[in-house]
Every structure is written in structure tokens, then in C-alpha cells.
Amino acid sequence: MKLIAFETKAFYKLIDELTNRVVKNVESPKDESKKEWVNAIEAKELLCIKSTGKLNTLVKNKHITASQHGRTIVYSRQSILDFLESGII
């Protein structure tokens, strides 16, 4: 077993820092609607479509923006929202 010793002042500083981080995360949880990039499932939900082919067609026709990282494809939430506002679909 290892023992870690802190000076009292350093210990309370560590506790304060930890408490501040926890409070910050509780007060402003990560809002999923603020994510810049979404996966295919979320993109189809935003677009109210079920077909991956339709999603791919929207990317191919440059109506929405996609980015591929390895085998993972993500879609720009803002481009999807802009496309929906355009009224093309």
C-alpha cells in the first residue's frame, strides 16, 4: 500500500479545485444539441429520414457536410440545420 501525504493547505486546495469542477459540470452539463458533429443515426433523426442511402445522397449532392475519420463518418450538425432551413427537402 502506498501512502500519499499532503500539506493541509495543499489538501484543501485540491478539494476546492475538485469541488469547483464538479459544480461546474453539474451547473452546465454537456448539451448534446451543441455537438458540432453527429453520427449517422443522429443525422437521420435530425433529417427525419430512415435511409442511409438518402443521407449519402445528401452528402454527395453537397447539401450537407460530412467528414470521415478512419471508418467513422460524422455529419456537420450546422450543415444539417442549414439544409432543413433551406426547405429543399
Side-chain angles (χ1 to χ4, degrees):
M1 178 165 84
K2 292 184 179 182
L3 180 65
I4 300 173
F6 283 95
E7 291 181 352
T8 303
K9 188 175 181 179
F11 174 75
Y12 285 115
K13 183 176 180 181
L14 176 67
I15 296 298
D16 287 342
E17 171 97 15
L18 181 61
T19 303
N20 288 337
R21 286 185 184 191
V22 169
V23 168
K24 182 180 176 184
N25 285 335
V26 169
E27 288 177 350
S28 60
K30 293 182 179 170
D31 187 359
E32 290 296 315
S33 67
K34 301 230 188 255
K35 288 193 316 186
E36 184 176 346
W37 297 93
V38 296
N39 63 27
I41 294 169
E42 294 168 312
K44 289 189 283 187
E45 286 176 0
L46 287 170
L47 292 162
C48 298
I49 61 175
K50 294 181 181 178
S51 168
T52 302
K54 176 67 174 174
L55 183 60
N56 293 337
T57 300
L58 292 172
V59 172
K60 182 180 174 184
N61 292 336
K62 299 186 179 182
H63 292 297
I64 63 173
T65 304
S67 179
Q68 185 168 358
H69 305 280
R71 295 179 67 185
T72 304
I73 301 173
V74 290
Y75 304 86
S76 165
R77 176 182 296 277
Q78 190 58 52
S79 72
I80 293 171
L81 297 176
D82 292 343
F83 174 71
L84 290 172
E85 286 181 13
S86 73
I88 294 174
I89 208 168

